[in-house]
Amino acid sequence: MNILVVYLLLLKATLTSFSGLASLPMVRNDFVVRYHVLSDRQLNTAVAAGRVGPGPLGIYVVSVGYLVAGIRGACAGWLAMITPAFLIIPMICFLGSRAEHRRAKAVTRAVLLAGAGLLASASAPLARDAVTGPLSLIIVVASLVLIALTRVDSLWIMLGAAVVGLLAFQL
Amino acid sequence: MPQARLDEITRLFFRVGTTVFGGGNTAIAVLQREFDRRGWLGPEKFALSFGLARLTPGTNFLAFCAATGWYLQGIGGAIVAVLGTTIPASVLVVWLTQAGEVGNGYPWARSVIAALLAAGVGTMLGAAVLLVRSQCSSKKWLRPVVIAVGSFILARTVGLSPLSVIGIAAAAGFFWTES
C-alpha cells in the first residue's frame, strides 16, 4: 500500500476522533474492510501492543502502519498520530490572551478540578485490570501515598514498581 | 516561576514517553506532578492545556504535551515535547508488534508491566488528590471538592463523556465564582 495513502487514511482516523482508541472503528473500516491490507487479528495485535507499551493508547496507529507497510508505514502512523496535536497551538493563541479575566480563571480552575474527577474516574477500569492480587494492591496504595504526600520523583516510583514486579516473578 | 530549558523539557517528556505505562491519563498525572515539583507551569496554564487538549482532535495526551511544551518554550518546546513523548514509545510499540506477531511470550515482562500498571493507577489517584489540594485552602475548599467529586460522579456513575463533564464543570466555574 502506498505510504501516502497509509498516512492520509490514518490521519483521517485521528483527525475525526477525540481520544486514543476512538479512531479504531474508522481504522478497521479502511484497512480491514475496505482495502483488505490488515486482518482483524493483526488489528488486535496492534491494539494490544499499544496498550502494553508506554505512551498514549492512540499509539496503536504506529503499529497499524507497521503491519501494513513495515517501518515506513510505522513512520506514517507516527506522523498521523502527532499531526493533530499541534492544532492546539492556534487554539491557545486565540484563548490565551483572554485567560487572565476573573471569570476565565474561575472556568479554568473548574476545568482543572474536573480533570481531577476524570482522572479518578479513568483509573477505576484500569484498577480492575491492574489489581490482580495483594501485591498489586500494595503497589497501587504505595504509589498513591508517595505521589500525594511526598516529593519523590515519579521515575523512582515507576522503577521501584518494575523491580518489585521482577522480584515477584522470580520468587 | 523558573524558566524551563529546551534540554530539560526534552529529558522530562522523553522520560515520560519511555517509563509511564497506562495511557495518556497516567502520563498527564505524572507530568502534572513533575511540573509542580519543578515549578514550571501554574495551575491556570495547566488547566487551559488540559481543557483544550480535550477539544483537540486526535490523541488528547499529545495535544496536552504540545500545549504545555508551547507554554514552556514556544514552538520548540511543543515540538520536543511531542517528539520526546512519542518517538521512544513508537519504537517500543513496533518492537512489541513484532514480538506479538511471532507469538513470543515473556512472562517476566508481563510481571513487570503488571507492576507498572498498578503503579500507574496509584499515580493517577495521587495526582487527582494533588490537583484538588492545589485548589483548596482552609477557607475555600467546598467549591473545589464539589466540582471534583461531581465530575467523578458524572463520569463514573452517570456515564457522561469527558468532554461533557468538562463542559458542565466549565459552566459551574463560570456561574459559581469565588468571592
Side-chain angles (χ1 to χ4, degrees):
Chain A
M1 193 174 206
N2 183 293
I3 206 74
L4 186 63
V5 176
V6 175
Y7 170 70
L8 290 175
L9 288 176
L10 289 173
L11 183 65
K12 182 181 78 171
T14 53
L15 271 176
T16 52
S17 65
F18 284 84
S19 71
L21 288 176
S23 54
L24 192 62
M26 194 168 285
V27 168
R28 184 178 181 277
N29 188 54
D30 282 332
F31 290 93
V32 178
V33 178
R34 196 167 154 211
Y35 288 104
H36 306 289
V37 289
L38 199 70
S39 67
D40 272 322
R41 191 191 60 78
Q42 286 178 309
L43 189 57
N44 279 342
T45 302
V47 173
R51 288 187 79 101
V52 168
L57 298 180
I59 204 161
Y60 84 95
V61 297
V62 176
S63 182
V64 167
Y66 174 76
L67 289 169
V68 171
I71 294 296
R72 293 193 324 141
C75 293
W78 172 73
L79 268 178
M81 177 180 68
I82 67 166
T83 307
F86 293 99
L87 290 175
I88 200 170
I89 292 172
M91 289 165 77
I92 288 176
C93 292
F94 178 73
L95 291 171
S97 57
R98 294 160 179 80
E100 291 304 312
H101 190 273
R102 185 170 152 266
R103 274 200 192 274
K105 279 188 171 177
V107 168
T108 51
R109 282 184 183 148
V111 169
L112 183 75
L113 291 162
L118 288 170
L119 267 181
S121 169
S123 68
L126 284 178
R128 264 203 304 273
D129 288 341
V131 180
T132 52
L135 180 67
S136 49
L137 184 62
I138 289 169
I139 294 174
V140 169
V141 174
S143 309
L144 192 163
V145 169
L146 286 171
I147 289 283
L149 300 179
T150 73
R151 298 184 74 81
V152 175
D153 195 319
S154 314
L155 179 64
W156 296 116
I157 297 172
M158 291 295 171
L159 285 177
V163 170
V164 169
L166 200 56
L167 288 174
F169 171 74
Q170 300 223 317
L171 293 172
Chain B
M1 193 162 282
Q3 176 75 38
R5 294 198 319 266
L6 213 52
D7 61 311
E8 292 174 321
I9 300 169
T10 310
R11 269 203 301 276
L12 175 62
F13 282 90
F14 181 88
R15 208 183 76 185
V16 168
T18 47
T19 60
V20 179
F21 291 71
N25 284 324
T26 315
I28 287 175
V30 170
L31 282 172
Q32 188 267 334
R33 185 162 178 279
E34 293 306 314
F35 292 150
D36 187 47
R37 223 166 57 85
R38 292 167 166 81
W40 276 3
L41 208 65
E44 279 85 14
K45 286 179 178 172
F46 182 89
L48 197 60
S49 303
F50 184 85
L52 288 180
R54 297 277 169 186
L55 304 173
T56 309
T59 304
N60 299 153
F61 170 61
L62 297 182
F64 174 82
C65 291
T68 49
W70 166 265
Y71 275 128
L72 293 171
Q73 267 291 353
I75 190 69
I79 290 171
V80 298
V82 172
L83 298 193
T85 317
T86 56
I87 289 176
S90 297
V91 171
L92 197 57
V93 92
V94 167
W95 179 79
L96 286 167
T97 307
Q98 289 172 333
E101 277 291 277
V102 295
N104 283 341
Y106 299 100
W108 64 268
R110 280 203 297 272
S111 179
V112 170
I113 288 165
L116 286 170
L117 286 175
V121 170
T123 302
M124 285 170 72
L125 291 171
V129 172
L130 276 181
L131 281 173
V132 178
R133 213 170 60 188
S134 73
Q135 300 299 310
C136 287
S137 64
S138 57
K139 288 180 182 170
K140 293 178 181 173
W141 56 269
L142 184 63
R143 182 178 177 274
V145 171
V146 167
I147 293 177
V149 173
S151 300
F152 175 82
I153 291 170
L154 287 174
R156 190 83 213 120
T157 312
V158 183
L160 291 186
S161 70
L163 211 55
S164 308
V165 173
I166 284 173
I168 291 169
F174 185 83
F175 291 111
W176 185 9
T177 51
E178 289 143 332
S179 55

